[in-house]
Amino acid sequence: MVEKNSAILAVETSCDETAAAVVVGGQEVLSNVVASQDELHGKYGGVVPEIASRAHIERINPVIRRALEQAGISPSGLAAIAVTNRPGLIGSLLIGVSAAKTLAWAWQKPLIDIDHVQAHIYAAQLGRERAWAFPAVALVVSGGHTSLYHCRDPLDIELLGQTTDDAAGEAFDKVASILKLGYPGGPIIDRLSRQGNPQAIKFPRSWLGKGSLDFSFSGIKTAVLYHVRGQDARSRQVNLDETSRADIAASFQQAVVDVLVGKTILALQQQGLSRVILGGGVSANSTLRQGMAEACREAGAELFLALPAYCTDNAAMVAGLAYHKLRAGLRADLGLTGRA
Ligand code: KG4
Ligand code: ZN
């Protein structure tokens, strides 16, 4: 049951998307506006923090205005203002935090601080008729994170393992850059892989010892680099035909997916749980979604996947989680600041 007067406006600026959304009752998305900065960072092959902060300043007010207009709601109809204040790029976070604090003060609304990783986990609940259930193992895979959690409820999560070097999304972006495919690399590799053979090249799978729930993706990135450039890794030449490019993309993707799925199932067994939640930008990957679904079926576990629109950074997931904090009486004050 959606409660009246529970519409929350959320702002998300932790990395390179300027986003605002209005969500009712933690579930019903009235608007979800995302202004991407991909075209600004593309030529650098990754996010440039200073450029990201400046772009957030230019975009934040129009994005918030559009989110309210699309939701057809006036400030008086809002129950609270929520904002991602951790973790992320500090300059980027501060733009969203300043905007949210200003609105909370001007409109006299409660302010709610949100952890970006917890919001990615919550994304699987948005726009769904069937409520998710706890406890569960959650895998968050994005450009900044690759972490496994034991979730007792949307606000109570315990870290089980994380990457010791690159995040999975970072590996996708770097491999796309090695193959000269463009930025962000994840969606491009996902598409290109459909034409490639995932068994063509045996790239290494890094398991980090028996029972480990940590991840490492720097080795596979280097393996792709050596495969592409031969033993002379300093060479800038990339002479690959379309089939080789697709085979490398598909083989790399399969190696990453094997490890992500394998460690999630290991976490389920270690924790004695039977539910999996998948979130973060890389969870939009079609091979990962399919591989995780098959593995969960075999393990007799239930899988909760975010809808594709809520996998990459957005503010709807922030507004959704904020509803639970508002109900629990967990509010921030106007001294709120960003935490990298
Ligand atoms: O969650 P997100 O938008 O931002 C962070 O919190 O980091 O994730 C962005 C990452 C990028 O590295 C992007 O390449 C990756 O998610 N990504 C994908 C796909 N869509 C986005 N990776 C693999 N397959 C995809 N379909
Ligand atoms: Zn994210």
Side-chain angles (χ1 to χ4, degrees):
M1 249 289 271
V2 170
E3 290 167 35
K4 284 216 164 72
N5 307 322
S6 61
I8 294 180
L9 168 70
V11 174
E12 154 68 51
T13 60
S14 66
C15 191
D16 65 335
E17 332 277 4
T18 316
V22 177
V23 176
V24 176
Q27 191 112 19
E28 192 193 340
V29 181
L30 298 188
S31 65
N32 183 35
V33 178
V34 182
S36 160
Q37 301 178 10
D38 287 348
E39 81 284 4
L40 296 178
H41 303 284
K43 63 177 172 230
Y44 304 103
V47 178
V48 182
E50 183 65 17
I51 293 176
S53 325
R54 283 167 190 263
H56 283 311
I57 292 175
E58 287 165 9
R59 294 162 191 216
I60 188 80
N61 286 339
V63 164
I64 291 173
R65 206 173 303 125
R66 223 178 317 144
L68 289 172
E69 276 167 15
Q70 283 179 13
I73 203 161
S74 62
S76 62
L78 294 172
I81 312 287
V83 64
T84 302
N85 80 317
R86 64 192 183 277
L89 301 171
I90 189 65
S92 291
L93 285 166
L94 287 174
I95 313 300
V97 169
S98 304
K101 286 201 297 192
T102 307
L103 296 180
W105 176 78
W107 295 339
Q108 292 293 297
K109 301 288 174 186
L111 177 69
I112 298 171
D113 58 307
I114 294 290
D115 179 304
H116 184 75
V117 175
Q118 275 185 318
H120 268 308
I121 297 173
Y122 190 80
Q125 178 63 24
L126 288 174
R128 299 287 196 196
E129 297 212 332
R130 185 174 57 115
W132 60 353
F134 292 93
V137 162
L139 173 68
V140 178
V141 263
S142 71
H145 309 273
T146 305
S147 312
L148 277 163
Y149 298 89
H150 181 135
C151 301
R152 292 185 183 83
D153 68 53
L155 297 170
D156 183 359
I157 65 173
E158 179 197 343
L159 182 69
L160 300 174
Q162 62 188 327
T163 184
T164 54
D165 42 54
D166 293 348
E170 216 178 330
F172 270 93
D173 295 337
K174 286 179 179 168
V175 165
S177 158
I178 293 168
L179 295 175
K180 303 216 181 300
L181 294 173
Y183 175 83
I188 307 173
I189 290 186
D190 192 353
R191 272 195 307 276
L192 181 62
S193 294
R194 289 178 201 145
Q195 290 136 44
N197 172 9
Q199 315 301 334
I201 306 138
K202 286 270 162 291
F203 286 126
R205 274 97 171 132
S206 181
W207 297 103
L208 298 177
K210 204 168 167 359
S212 169
L213 296 179
D214 286 332
F215 299 89
S216 168
F217 296 107
S218 63
I220 187 165
K221 178 189 67 191
T222 312
V224 172
L225 187 71
Y226 276 95
H227 181 85
V228 169
R229 296 185 182 171
Q231 288 311 302
D232 182 6
R234 283 166 302 172
S235 155
R236 297 249 134 229
Q237 291 294 102
V238 177
N239 296 318
L240 293 170
D241 59 32
E242 273 312 296
T243 311
S244 319
R245 230 184 265 262
D247 282 349
I248 295 168
S251 301
F252 157 77
Q253 179 176 269
Q254 192 61 55
V256 172
V257 166
D258 284 353
V259 173
L260 293 174
V261 171
K263 290 201 179 240
T264 303
I265 301 300
L266 181 63
L268 269 186
Q269 290 161 350
Q270 285 183 4
Q271 300 293 312
L273 298 177
S274 56
R275 295 184 192 98
V276 172
I277 299 165
L278 190 55
V282 182
S283 72
N285 184 272
S286 49
T287 301
L288 176 59
R289 291 171 88 87
Q290 218 175 318
M292 195 66 86
E294 273 164 33
C296 284
R297 215 174 302 125
E298 270 170 35
E302 203 177 355
L303 175 63
F304 297 89
L305 286 167
L307 296 169
Y310 306 132
C311 289
T312 45
D313 287 351
N314 65 86
M317 64 185 188
V318 178
L321 180 59
Y323 169 75
H324 296 269
K325 286 194 88 164
L326 183 68
R327 286 210 336 171
L330 299 168
R331 297 167 186 200
D333 60 37
L334 293 178
L336 182 69
T337 189
R339 283 210 318 261

